[in-house]
mmCIF file with all atom_site columns, all heavy atoms in Angstrom:
data_model
loop_
_atom_site.group_PDB
_atom_site.id
_atom_site.type_symbol
_atom_site.label_atom_id
_atom_site.label_alt_id
_atom_site.label_comp_id
_atom_site.label_asym_id
_atom_site.label_entity_id
_atom_site.label_seq_id
_atom_site.pdbx_PDB_ins_code
_atom_site.Cartn_x
_atom_site.Cartn_y
_atom_site.Cartn_z
_atom_site.occupancy
_atom_site.B_iso_or_equiv
_atom_site.pdbx_formal_charge
_atom_site.auth_seq_id
_atom_site.auth_comp_id
_atom_site.auth_asym_id
_atom_site.auth_atom_id
_atom_site.pdbx_PDB_model_num
ATOM 1   N N   . LYS A 1 262 ? 25.085 -12.146 -7.618  1.00 73.00 ? 262 LYS A N   1
ATOM 2   C CA  . LYS A 1 262 ? 25.735 -12.965 -6.588  1.00 73.00 ? 262 LYS A CA  1
ATOM 3   C C   . LYS A 1 262 ? 25.299 -12.526 -5.195  1.00 73.00 ? 262 LYS A C   1
ATOM 4   O O   . LYS A 1 262 ? 25.080 -13.356 -4.313  1.00 73.00 ? 262 LYS A O   1
ATOM 5   C CB  . LYS A 1 262 ? 27.259 -12.845 -6.714  1.00 73.00 ? 262 LYS A CB  1
ATOM 6   C CG  . LYS A 1 262 ? 27.853 -13.571 -7.909  1.00 73.00 ? 262 LYS A CG  1
ATOM 7   C CD  . LYS A 1 262 ? 29.360 -13.381 -7.947  1.00 73.00 ? 262 LYS A CD  1
ATOM 8   C CE  . LYS A 1 262 ? 29.983 -14.060 -9.157  1.00 73.00 ? 262 LYS A CE  1
ATOM 9   N NZ  . LYS A 1 262 ? 31.450 -13.848 -9.218  1.00 73.00 ? 262 LYS A NZ  1
ATOM 10  N N   . ALA A 1 263 ? 25.157 -11.220 -5.001  1.00 73.00 ? 263 ALA A N   1
ATOM 11  C CA  . ALA A 1 263 ? 24.760 -10.698 -3.692  1.00 73.00 ? 263 ALA A CA  1
ATOM 12  C C   . ALA A 1 263 ? 23.305 -11.019 -3.366  1.00 73.00 ? 263 ALA A C   1
ATOM 13  O O   . ALA A 1 263 ? 22.914 -10.970 -2.197  1.00 73.00 ? 263 ALA A O   1
ATOM 14  C CB  . ALA A 1 263 ? 24.993 -9.184  -3.642  1.00 73.00 ? 263 ALA A CB  1
ATOM 15  N N   . GLN A 1 264 ? 22.509 -11.332 -4.386  1.00 71.00 ? 264 GLN A N   1
ATOM 16  C CA  . GLN A 1 264 ? 21.086 -11.627 -4.178  1.00 71.00 ? 264 GLN A CA  1
ATOM 17  C C   . GLN A 1 264 ? 20.802 -13.132 -4.174  1.00 71.00 ? 264 GLN A C   1
ATOM 18  O O   . GLN A 1 264 ? 19.647 -13.540 -4.281  1.00 71.00 ? 264 GLN A O   1
ATOM 19  C CB  . GLN A 1 264 ? 20.248 -10.966 -5.288  1.00 71.00 ? 264 GLN A CB  1
ATOM 20  C CG  . GLN A 1 264 ? 20.530 -9.500  -5.531  1.00 71.00 ? 264 GLN A CG  1
ATOM 21  C CD  . GLN A 1 264 ? 20.347 -8.658  -4.283  1.00 71.00 ? 264 GLN A CD  1
ATOM 22  O OE1 . GLN A 1 264 ? 19.399 -8.842  -3.535  1.00 71.00 ? 264 GLN A OE1 1
ATOM 23  N NE2 . GLN A 1 264 ? 21.262 -7.725  -4.073  1.00 71.00 ? 264 GLN A NE2 1
ATOM 24  N N   . ASP A 1 265 ? 21.824 -13.934 -4.016  1.00 72.00 ? 265 ASP A N   1
ATOM 25  C CA  . ASP A 1 265 ? 21.668 -15.381 -4.142  1.00 72.00 ? 265 ASP A CA  1
ATOM 26  C C   . ASP A 1 265 ? 20.591 -15.937 -3.203  1.00 72.00 ? 265 ASP A C   1
ATOM 27  O O   . ASP A 1 265 ? 19.702 -16.680 -3.628  1.00 72.00 ? 265 ASP A O   1
ATOM 28  C CB  . ASP A 1 265 ? 23.004 -16.065 -3.865  1.00 72.00 ? 265 ASP A CB  1
ATOM 29  C CG  . ASP A 1 265 ? 22.944 -17.560 -4.116  1.00 72.00 ? 265 ASP A CG  1
ATOM 30  O OD1 . ASP A 1 265 ? 23.100 -17.954 -5.282  1.00 72.00 ? 265 ASP A OD1 1
ATOM 31  O OD2 . ASP A 1 265 ? 22.716 -18.313 -3.149  1.00 72.00 ? 265 ASP A OD2 1
ATOM 32  N N   . SER A 1 266 ? 20.632 -15.576 -1.915  1.00 70.00 ? 266 SER A N   1
ATOM 33  C CA  . SER A 1 266 ? 19.661 -16.116 -0.954  1.00 70.00 ? 266 SER A CA  1
ATOM 34  C C   . SER A 1 266 ? 18.248 -15.639 -1.281  1.00 70.00 ? 266 SER A C   1
ATOM 35  O O   . SER A 1 266 ? 17.282 -16.395 -1.158  1.00 70.00 ? 266 SER A O   1
ATOM 36  C CB  . SER A 1 266 ? 20.042 -15.702 0.474   1.00 70.00 ? 266 SER A CB  1
ATOM 37  O OG  . SER A 1 266 ? 20.069 -14.283 0.604   1.00 70.00 ? 266 SER A OG  1
ATOM 38  N N   . LEU A 1 267 ? 18.118 -14.366 -1.710  1.00 69.00 ? 267 LEU A N   1
ATOM 39  C CA  . LEU A 1 267 ? 16.803 -13.834 -2.064  1.00 69.00 ? 267 LEU A CA  1
ATOM 40  C C   . LEU A 1 267 ? 16.235 -14.569 -3.270  1.00 69.00 ? 267 LEU A C   1
ATOM 41  O O   . LEU A 1 267 ? 15.052 -14.938 -3.285  1.00 69.00 ? 267 LEU A O   1
ATOM 42  C CB  . LEU A 1 267 ? 16.909 -12.332 -2.360  1.00 69.00 ? 267 LEU A CB  1
ATOM 43  C CG  . LEU A 1 267 ? 15.649 -11.659 -2.921  1.00 69.00 ? 267 LEU A CG  1
ATOM 44  C CD1 . LEU A 1 267 ? 14.501 -11.764 -1.929  1.00 69.00 ? 267 LEU A CD1 1
ATOM 45  C CD2 . LEU A 1 267 ? 15.929 -10.203 -3.277  1.00 69.00 ? 267 LEU A CD2 1
ATOM 46  N N   . LEU A 1 268 ? 17.056 -14.805 -4.271  1.00 72.00 ? 268 LEU A N   1
ATOM 47  C CA  . LEU A 1 268 ? 16.586 -15.483 -5.476  1.00 72.00 ? 268 LEU A CA  1
ATOM 48  C C   . LEU A 1 268 ? 16.115 -16.899 -5.164  1.00 72.00 ? 268 LEU A C   1
ATOM 49  O O   . LEU A 1 268 ? 15.125 -17.379 -5.728  1.00 72.00 ? 268 LEU A O   1
ATOM 50  C CB  . LEU A 1 268 ? 17.697 -15.508 -6.528  1.00 72.00 ? 268 LEU A CB  1
ATOM 51  C CG  . LEU A 1 268 ? 18.108 -14.136 -7.095  1.00 72.00 ? 268 LEU A CG  1
ATOM 52  C CD1 . LEU A 1 268 ? 19.303 -14.279 -8.016  1.00 72.00 ? 268 LEU A CD1 1
ATOM 53  C CD2 . LEU A 1 268 ? 16.954 -13.484 -7.830  1.00 72.00 ? 268 LEU A CD2 1
ATOM 54  N N   . HIS A 1 269 ? 16.811 -17.580 -4.258  1.00 71.00 ? 269 HIS A N   1
ATOM 55  C CA  . HIS A 1 269 ? 16.386 -18.919 -3.873  1.00 71.00 ? 269 HIS A CA  1
ATOM 56  C C   . HIS A 1 269 ? 15.045 -18.876 -3.152  1.00 71.00 ? 269 HIS A C   1
ATOM 57  O O   . HIS A 1 269 ? 14.186 -19.731 -3.378  1.00 71.00 ? 269 HIS A O   1
ATOM 58  C CB  . HIS A 1 269 ? 17.448 -19.576 -2.973  1.00 71.00 ? 269 HIS A CB  1
ATOM 59  C CG  . HIS A 1 269 ? 18.550 -20.238 -3.736  1.00 71.00 ? 269 HIS A CG  1
ATOM 60  N ND1 . HIS A 1 269 ? 19.767 -19.614 -3.985  1.00 71.00 ? 269 HIS A ND1 1
ATOM 61  C CD2 . HIS A 1 269 ? 18.630 -21.451 -4.336  1.00 71.00 ? 269 HIS A CD2 1
ATOM 62  C CE1 . HIS A 1 269 ? 20.545 -20.422 -4.674  1.00 71.00 ? 269 HIS A CE1 1
ATOM 63  N NE2 . HIS A 1 269 ? 19.881 -21.545 -4.907  1.00 71.00 ? 269 HIS A NE2 1
ATOM 64  N N   . ARG A 1 270 ? 14.839 -17.853 -2.275  1.00 69.00 ? 270 ARG A N   1
ATOM 65  C CA  . ARG A 1 270 ? 13.571 -17.738 -1.553  1.00 69.00 ? 270 ARG A CA  1
ATOM 66  C C   . ARG A 1 270 ? 12.421 -17.457 -2.513  1.00 69.00 ? 270 ARG A C   1
ATOM 67  O O   . ARG A 1 270 ? 11.280 -17.858 -2.276  1.00 69.00 ? 270 ARG A O   1
ATOM 68  C CB  . ARG A 1 270 ? 13.637 -16.615 -0.503  1.00 69.00 ? 270 ARG A CB  1
ATOM 69  C CG  . ARG A 1 270 ? 14.514 -16.920 0.689   1.00 69.00 ? 270 ARG A CG  1
ATOM 70  C CD  . ARG A 1 270 ? 14.106 -16.095 1.884   1.00 69.00 ? 270 ARG A CD  1
ATOM 71  N NE  . ARG A 1 270 ? 14.042 -14.682 1.608   1.00 69.00 ? 270 ARG A NE  1
ATOM 72  C CZ  . ARG A 1 270 ? 15.076 -13.848 1.686   1.00 69.00 ? 270 ARG A CZ  1
ATOM 73  N NH1 . ARG A 1 270 ? 16.274 -14.321 2.012   1.00 69.00 ? 270 ARG A NH1 1
ATOM 74  N NH2 . ARG A 1 270 ? 14.941 -12.564 1.437   1.00 69.00 ? 270 ARG A NH2 1
ATOM 75  N N   . LEU A 1 271 ? 12.708 -16.754 -3.614  1.00 69.00 ? 271 LEU A N   1
ATOM 76  C CA  . LEU A 1 271 ? 11.679 -16.417 -4.594  1.00 69.00 ? 271 LEU A CA  1
ATOM 77  C C   . LEU A 1 271 ? 11.499 -17.515 -5.640  1.00 69.00 ? 271 LEU A C   1
ATOM 78  O O   . LEU A 1 271 ? 10.745 -17.329 -6.595  1.00 69.00 ? 271 LEU A O   1
ATOM 79  C CB  . LEU A 1 271 ? 12.043 -15.098 -5.290  1.00 69.00 ? 271 LEU A CB  1
ATOM 80  C CG  . LEU A 1 271 ? 12.103 -13.855 -4.401  1.00 69.00 ? 271 LEU A CG  1
ATOM 81  C CD1 . LEU A 1 271 ? 12.548 -12.642 -5.203  1.00 69.00 ? 271 LEU A CD1 1
ATOM 82  C CD2 . LEU A 1 271 ? 10.752 -13.575 -3.746  1.00 69.00 ? 271 LEU A CD2 1
ATOM 83  N N   . ASN A 1 272 ? 12.208 -18.621 -5.463  1.00 74.00 ? 272 ASN A N   1
ATOM 84  C CA  . ASN A 1 272 ? 12.123 -19.763 -6.387  1.00 74.00 ? 272 ASN A CA  1
ATOM 85  C C   . ASN A 1 272 ? 12.552 -19.394 -7.803  1.00 74.00 ? 272 ASN A C   1
ATOM 86  O O   . ASN A 1 272 ? 12.040 -19.934 -8.787  1.00 74.00 ? 272 ASN A O   1
ATOM 87  C CB  . ASN A 1 272 ? 10.699 -20.330 -6.413  1.00 74.00 ? 272 ASN A CB  1
ATOM 88  C CG  . ASN A 1 272 ? 10.284 -20.901 -5.061  1.00 74.00 ? 272 ASN A CG  1
ATOM 89  O OD1 . ASN A 1 272 ? 11.080 -21.519 -4.373  1.00 74.00 ? 272 ASN A OD1 1
ATOM 90  N ND2 . ASN A 1 272 ? 9.033  -20.691 -4.693  1.00 74.00 ? 272 ASN A ND2 1
ATOM 91  N N   . VAL A 1 273 ? 13.493 -18.461 -7.897  1.00 71.00 ? 273 VAL A N   1
ATOM 92  C CA  . VAL A 1 273 ? 14.039 -18.089 -9.201  1.00 71.00 ? 273 VAL A CA  1
ATOM 93  C C   . VAL A 1 273 ? 15.097 -19.119 -9.595  1.00 71.00 ? 273 VAL A C   1
ATOM 94  O O   . VAL A 1 273 ? 15.927 -19.511 -8.763  1.00 71.00 ? 273 VAL A O   1
ATOM 95  C CB  . VAL A 1 273 ? 14.668 -16.680 -9.141  1.00 71.00 ? 273 VAL A CB  1
ATOM 96  C CG1 . VAL A 1 273 ? 15.365 -16.348 -10.452 1.00 71.00 ? 273 VAL A CG1 1
ATOM 97  C CG2 . VAL A 1 273 ? 13.597 -15.647 -8.835  1.00 71.00 ? 273 VAL A CG2 1
ATOM 98  N N   . PRO A 1 274 ? 15.095 -19.589 -10.846 1.00 72.00 ? 274 PRO A N   1
ATOM 99  C CA  . PRO A 1 274 ? 16.081 -20.591 -11.275 1.00 72.00 ? 274 PRO A CA  1
ATOM 100 C C   . PRO A 1 274 ? 17.486 -19.989 -11.333 1.00 72.00 ? 274 PRO A C   1
ATOM 101 O O   . PRO A 1 274 ? 17.964 -19.555 -12.390 1.00 72.00 ? 274 PRO A O   1
ATOM 102 C CB  . PRO A 1 274 ? 15.577 -21.004 -12.672 1.00 72.00 ? 274 PRO A CB  1
ATOM 103 C CG  . PRO A 1 274 ? 14.790 -19.825 -13.152 1.00 72.00 ? 274 PRO A CG  1
ATOM 104 C CD  . PRO A 1 274 ? 14.145 -19.233 -11.924 1.00 72.00 ? 274 PRO A CD  1
ATOM 105 N N   . VAL A 1 275 ? 18.140 -19.980 -10.184 1.00 68.00 ? 275 VAL A N   1
ATOM 106 C CA  . VAL A 1 275 ? 19.437 -19.316 -10.067 1.00 68.00 ? 275 VAL A CA  1
ATOM 107 C C   . VAL A 1 275 ? 20.468 -19.926 -11.015 1.00 68.00 ? 275 VAL A C   1
ATOM 108 O O   . VAL A 1 275 ? 21.269 -19.210 -11.620 1.00 68.00 ? 275 VAL A O   1
ATOM 109 C CB  . VAL A 1 275 ? 19.938 -19.404 -8.606  1.00 68.00 ? 275 VAL A CB  1
ATOM 110 C CG1 . VAL A 1 275 ? 21.302 -18.726 -8.481  1.00 68.00 ? 275 VAL A CG1 1
ATOM 111 C CG2 . VAL A 1 275 ? 18.937 -18.761 -7.663  1.00 68.00 ? 275 VAL A CG2 1
#
Side-chain angles (χ1 to χ4, degrees):
K262 287 180 182 179
Q264 310 303 318
D265 186 84
S266 60
L267 172 61
L268 294 174
H269 275 97
R270 289 203 307 274
L271 297 177
N272 296 321
V273 174
V275 179

